[in-house]
Amino acid sequence: MTAATADRDAERRRALRRMKLLATGLLIVAAVVFAVAFALQERYPWLGYVRAAAEGAMVGALADWFAVTALFRHPLGLRIPHTAIIPTRKDEIGESLGEFVETNFLSDEVVAGRLGTLDLAGAIADWLARPANARRVVTEVSGGLTGIAGLLDDDRMRDAVEAVVRTHIVEPKWGPPLGRLGDRVLASGGHREAVDLLLDRLDDWLAAHPEALAQLVSGRLPSWMPSFVDRLVDDRVHAELRRFVSDVRRDPDHRLRHALDDYLADVAARLQNDPATIERLEDAKARAFDDPRIRELAASAWSAARAAAVDALSDPQSELRRRATAAVADAAARVTRDPELRASLNTRLADAALHLVSTYRHDIASIISDTVRGWDAAETTDKIETQVGRDLQFIRINGTVVGALAGFAIYAVATAISAAL
């Protein structure tokens, strides 16, 4: 219980005590007036009206005191049937209250009708469109994600990531999907750009490294050949190779391109249909993923990713936090400006809320009955009396006043009839 709740309960108890004193005081006043009027009625006949009023006030006060007291305890400690109703029937009251809430507040008609009158999306968007509120939401979400990240066990997360990767990436065969992907790439001609890029880079590299072919060609010539011959051969081979690469680059119909297309098509077909090729790829994949260095790389990647995410989420000035805040505010502003989008979101929010209420209506209502069932009988009585007891004391006061008026009216009518007869 919070301090504010405790203070409110204390104030209610003081108000209840004051109302009890007032109601009891009226009963005592009525009793004193009745005694005086009864004693002097023979001397002063008009006091008969006062006595009747006081007598009615006492009857009304006592009857209503009994009724109010019987709700919470046994009057005067006497175990009269149908008294102390709240402590003895606490569980039934809780179930009835839960059923009442479920039927009258959580019905589909009530929820749908209420949600249909609300512009939830607009209200949320108006609130989020303010930069301070968008920043607050991002801060709260970031704090929650940072806390969750801090609770994660690195070893278990690495095992979980590895299990997901193995189930959805490693264990399925790669050959047929890669082959089908290759067919689509070849059919679309997308590989030609990659070939052009490769030829461009090869030509640039040959231009920048003319000496790269020295050992490859002249190094294999006889040692007795003059050195100038070695240079001529190297230069000639280098020039011819660059010329060949240039021809392939300029000619989209070059035979090398066709040969490469045929080779790639053959590889794609074998990846889909050749068991030996598929098995070799699977063996290579298994060796790669079973390599301890690969697993160490995956572990370090997870640790680095988590550390980077935590740092970005923890820093209010990080690029991630700034971009997230701007994205939230921009999305909210768009919803505010677009009536159709807002209406669509309202429909979806209403459908989601209605689905949740329909699915968990009984569970929500059972919270009330379960909570009341878990209360101690004395605690339940104290809680309810503290909340509504002050208002119930007005019943006693009203009973005293109404009893007095009734007693006076009955005596007056009876006296008038008697005089008339």
Side-chain angles (χ1 to χ4, degrees):
M1 181 185 295
T2 63
T5 302
D7 292 340
R8 286 195 297 269
D9 286 347
E11 177 58 32
R12 291 190 183 100
R13 288 188 176 90
R14 287 192 291 270
L16 174 60
R17 285 194 294 270
R18 288 195 297 269
M19 292 303 298
K20 283 184 175 181
L21 289 174
L22 175 59
T24 304
L26 290 177
L27 173 60
I28 294 173
V29 169
V32 171
V33 170
F34 173 79
V36 173
F38 184 81
L40 300 177
Q41 182 177 354
E42 295 294 334
R43 185 181 306 175
Y44 306 102
W46 60 268
L47 286 178
Y49 292 93
V50 177
R51 178 192 63 76
E55 186 176 12
M58 287 191 299
V59 172
L62 288 172
D64 288 336
W65 165 83
F66 182 90
V68 171
T69 302
L71 289 173
F72 304 103
R73 57 189 61 85
H74 298 291
L76 302 176
L78 302 175
R79 293 188 172 276
I80 302 172
H82 303 294
T83 58
I85 295 173
I86 290 177
T88 57
R89 302 189 61 190
K90 169 180 64 70
D91 295 345
E92 291 88 340
I93 293 173
E95 291 177 2
S96 298
L97 182 59
E99 183 179 352
F100 176 80
V101 171
E102 179 178 355
T103 304
N104 295 279
F105 291 90
L106 299 179
S107 65
D108 292 346
E109 295 77 9
V110 172
V111 174
R114 180 58 178 166
L115 292 176
T117 63
L118 299 178
D119 182 14
L120 291 177
I124 296 173
D126 288 341
W127 189 81
L128 289 176
R130 304 183 190 120
N133 294 333
R135 194 159 42 249
R136 177 181 175 184
V137 169
V138 172
T139 299
E140 295 295 335
V141 173
S142 299
L145 293 177
T146 302
I148 293 174
L151 296 175
L152 297 177
D153 181 76
D154 284 344
D155 292 335
R156 292 186 177 180
M157 284 304 301
R158 282 194 293 266
D159 292 342
V161 171
E162 182 179 354
V164 171
V165 170
R166 285 194 175 278
T167 301
H168 298 284
I169 298 179
V170 179
E171 291 181 359
K173 289 187 176 181
W174 284 13
L178 288 177
R180 290 191 293 271
L181 177 62
D183 282 341
R184 287 195 292 270
V185 172
L186 291 172
S188 66
H191 67 292
R192 295 191 182 95
E193 295 181 0
V195 172
D196 291 339
L197 180 61
L198 179 62
L199 291 171
D200 291 342
R201 294 295 174 264
L202 178 59
D203 187 61
D204 293 341
W205 184 84
L206 289 173
H209 302 86
E211 75 287 350
L213 299 176
Q215 294 298 322
L216 181 63
V217 180
S218 61
R220 287 172 169 75
L221 294 176
S223 60
W224 48 266
M225 294 288 289
S227 59
F228 75 91
V229 176
D230 294 347
R231 288 193 300 275
L232 286 176
V233 172
D234 290 339
D235 292 343
R236 182 66 177 178
V237 171
H238 182 264
E240 289 297 328
L241 184 57
R242 288 201 64 194
R243 186 177 298 110
F244 179 77
V245 171
S246 178
D247 291 342
V248 177
R249 290 173 62 195
R250 290 195 306 270
D251 185 4
D253 201 37
H254 196 278
R255 63 181 183 275
L256 178 62
R257 289 181 181 271
H258 288 298
L260 184 59
D261 289 349
D262 293 340
Y263 173 76
L264 293 175
D266 179 64
V267 170
R270 284 190 284 116
L271 284 173
Q272 297 179 73
N273 305 310
D274 182 27
T277 302
I278 296 174
E279 190 61 31
R280 285 198 299 272
L281 178 61
E282 292 301 310
D283 291 341
K285 178 187 69 176
R287 288 194 300 272
F289 280 94
D290 286 338
D291 191 331
R293 289 172 296 182
I294 298 295
R295 302 187 66 182
E296 291 175 4
L297 178 62
S300 62
W302 157 253
S303 299
R306 192 191 73 164
V310 169
D311 290 342
L313 292 171
S314 302
D315 183 8
Q317 302 303 321
S318 68
E319 185 68 16
L320 176 63
R321 291 273 291 269
R322 289 201 299 271
R323 287 182 178 273
T325 301
V328 170
D330 290 344
R334 181 188 170 194
V335 172
T336 302
R337 294 191 302 267
D338 191 339
E340 293 184 0
L341 177 59
R342 189 164 62 251
S344 175
L345 289 175
N346 278 328
T347 300
R348 295 185 181 185
L349 287 172
D351 290 343
L354 188 59
H355 171 73
L356 289 175
V357 171
S358 299
T359 305
Y360 301 103
R361 178 189 297 116
H362 182 71
D363 295 326
I364 296 172
S366 67
I367 294 175
I368 298 174
S369 58
D370 292 343
T371 301
V372 174
R373 187 179 295 109
W375 286 346
D376 178 74
E379 179 186 6
T380 304
T381 302
D382 179 70
K383 285 180 179 292
I384 297 177
E385 187 174 17
T386 299
Q387 294 294 323
V388 301
R390 179 179 179 276
D391 295 324
L392 291 177
Q393 297 307 309
F394 280 105
I395 296 177
R396 295 176 58 189
I397 296 173
N398 293 336
T400 303
V401 174
V402 171
L405 295 176
F408 178 86
I410 292 172
Y411 184 81
V413 170
T415 301
I417 294 175
S418 177
L421 294 176

